[in-house]
Amino acid sequence: MTEALRFLFGGRARRRWIHLILGGALAVPYTLVGSVIVGPFTGVDNVFGSLPLQLGSFALGLPIAAVTSLFPLTRPLEVGAARALCGVEADLLAHGPARTRAERGRTAAWFTLHLGLGGIVSGMSLALPPFAGALIVLPLLSWLRGTPPGVPEFLDHPWAQALSAVAGLAMLPALAACAAGCGTLLARWAPALLGPTPEDRLAAAETRAADLAVRNRLARELHDSVGHALSAVTLQASAARRVLDTDPEFVREALAAIEDTTRRTVGELDAVLGVLRDGDGPGTAPAPTLAADLDGLLHRTRAGGQRVTASVGTDPAALPPLVSREAYRIVQEGLSNALKHSGEPVGLRIATADGHLEITVENPLGARPAPRPGGGHGLRGIADRVRLLGGTSHAGASDGTWCLRVRLPLKGSA
């Protein structure tokens, strides 16, 4: 019982009733245009004095409404009304004006259906409540003053008057049921007539995929850049604290490295956040590459007291920009892992062979700390970068040594 009352008189039913009333209001000018055609054709001056002629004018106005619905703004307006009043989810409806012939045809069908059902429900909403009220009070008026004039003769009988009251009471929920049913019908047909086409869904899916790819790339950039900087700064500060009184020169070098690391990281962070700001460009700081900052990366890593031996068997400036950029992040993350796991010395080898760039980072296992909750994103980020470039990667322990090996193709990278 509660569900039935909610279906007939609940908030959603009332909003859909308003949506139908709006459709009826939109149908009025088209009905007037139809009456201009019906009147001369039938030879009747007052078309609205005859219910059949009114219905004929209304029916003739609907095709005219279908033609005018080809106006570009019709679909956005109808989509907004269907979303707000019919309770249709936004993802099920299209955005923007209809572009293709099929979309315009479906919009015309929806507009005609909205105005048609809205005109019927609006007419019933105007006519039935007064008529139902008259039937309900008819027995009382007949008992007080006799049968009112103009009432059919069969309503003179007491049983007919009693049935008229029952009929009047039944008309009101019947009107609500009709409005609720029409509103439900429109809500069910809205996705089919106002929804996106398969091409629109494919374009939306491609847009979402592109957004996810950008988000994943930004997440990797933030993790590699900020994570490495924090690890390096922590070790540099720790090393400087231990020799603060005995080696002032080393402390000055460590503080300078901390300053340089934080300055560069703030620049990279600003570049990444610039992508996320609406209206901003790709940021002010360019992405670091092996050609531009390999020596600086090694210097900042060594400034914390970490022993790093590097063997570079190729000219970083000769590498493709995309490979150089991603290789820089891979080397950065490899050195970050070595800093976190505290095994030294760290060996870094960069070389080219068989059209591939080969990167190897090795360090003794040492006293590896327990894994942190949520850790492991660095190696996952390396694997993502390598996969996007069409290369291979391997990371793991063997014979007391942790080794990261990466091969990146120099040509044909994705």
Side-chain angles (χ1 to χ4, degrees):
M1 185 64 178
T2 303
E3 291 296 329
L5 291 176
R6 185 180 295 112
F7 176 76
L8 294 178
F9 304 105
R12 182 171 62 181
R14 293 196 299 270
R15 288 191 296 272
R16 290 177 177 177
W17 202 332
I18 294 173
H19 183 249
L20 290 166
I21 296 297
L22 291 177
L26 291 174
V28 170
Y30 298 104
T31 303
L32 292 176
V33 174
S35 67
V36 173
I37 301 174
V38 171
F41 182 77
T42 59
V44 177
D45 294 334
N46 185 13
V47 172
F48 295 100
S50 170
L51 180 59
L53 294 182
Q54 290 182 40
L55 296 177
S57 301
F58 174 69
L60 190 59
L62 292 180
I64 303 175
V67 174
T68 60
S69 67
L70 301 178
F71 186 69
L73 289 180
T74 300
R75 188 169 76 165
L77 293 174
E78 287 294 320
V79 165
R83 184 186 302 120
L85 298 176
C86 287
V88 183
E89 296 182 6
D91 293 341
L92 300 178
L93 301 176
H95 300 280
R99 297 181 299 273
T100 66
R101 181 179 301 177
E103 290 177 346
R104 289 192 289 268
R106 290 190 294 121
T107 302
W110 165 266
F111 192 68
T112 305
L113 182 66
H114 182 200
L115 269 60
L117 294 179
I120 294 173
V121 172
S122 298
M124 294 174 61
S125 300
L126 289 174
L128 276 183
F131 183 65
L135 291 178
I136 293 171
V137 301
L138 178 60
L140 179 61
L141 292 177
S142 299
W143 180 69
L144 292 176
R145 301 181 179 180
T147 303
V151 175
E153 295 182 0
F154 72 90
L155 289 178
D156 289 340
H157 303 284
W159 61 266
Q161 294 178 3
L163 289 178
S164 71
V166 174
L169 291 172
M171 286 181 181
L172 297 179
L175 172 61
C178 182
C182 291
T184 302
L185 182 65
L186 284 178
R188 183 170 299 177
W189 283 4
L193 297 178
L194 295 178
T197 63
E199 291 77 10
D200 293 334
R201 293 189 180 94
L202 180 60
E206 291 176 346
T207 301
R208 286 193 295 269
D211 291 341
L212 287 176
V214 171
R215 290 176 181 272
N216 289 335
R217 180 175 64 83
L218 295 179
R220 289 194 301 269
E221 294 290 329
L222 286 175
H223 175 274
D224 294 347
S225 175
V226 178
H228 173 81
L230 291 177
S231 298
V233 166
T234 299
L235 286 179
Q236 291 160 355
S238 176
R241 179 180 57 81
R242 288 195 300 268
V243 298
L244 180 62
D245 298 327
T246 60
D247 194 348
E249 183 63 27
F250 178 82
V251 173
R252 281 192 290 270
E253 291 181 2
L255 291 177
I258 290 174
E259 181 184 5
D260 181 58
T261 300
T262 53
R263 183 184 296 112
R264 290 183 60 85
T265 304
V266 169
E268 294 179 15
L269 182 61
D270 181 68
V272 174
L273 294 180
V275 180
L276 298 176
R277 299 188 189 104
D278 292 336
D280 283 3
T284 57
T289 63
L290 286 182
D293 195 45
L294 177 59
D295 292 338
L297 177 62
L298 294 174
H299 173 72
R300 291 188 297 273
T301 304
R302 291 165 176 156
Q306 191 82 6
R307 289 181 295 164
V308 180
T309 61
S311 173
V312 181
T314 186
D315 182 11
L319 298 175
L322 178 61
V323 174
S324 183
R325 186 189 71 193
E326 298 301 323
Y328 178 91
R329 291 304 189 190
I330 292 171
V331 172
Q332 187 181 53
E333 180 58 29
L335 295 176
S336 295
N337 280 337
L339 294 176
K340 296 173 186 175
H341 299 156
S342 69
E344 41 176 352
V346 180
L348 169 65
R349 293 193 301 273
I350 301 176
T352 56
D354 301 328
H356 287 75
L357 178 67
E358 297 181 345
I359 301 172
T360 304
V361 182
E362 293 180 325
N363 66 286
L365 289 177
R368 295 173 65 85
R372 295 175 291 106
H377 296 294
L379 293 178
R380 189 183 310 162
I382 290 177
D384 289 342
R385 293 178 187 276
V386 172
R387 184 173 60 252
L388 289 174
L389 292 177
T392 59
S393 65
H394 172 77
S398 177
D399 298 329
T401 301
W402 180 269
C403 182
L404 169 67
R405 291 188 179 90
V406 171
R407 278 172 57 89
L408 301 176
L410 296 177
K411 295 182 179 180
S413 299

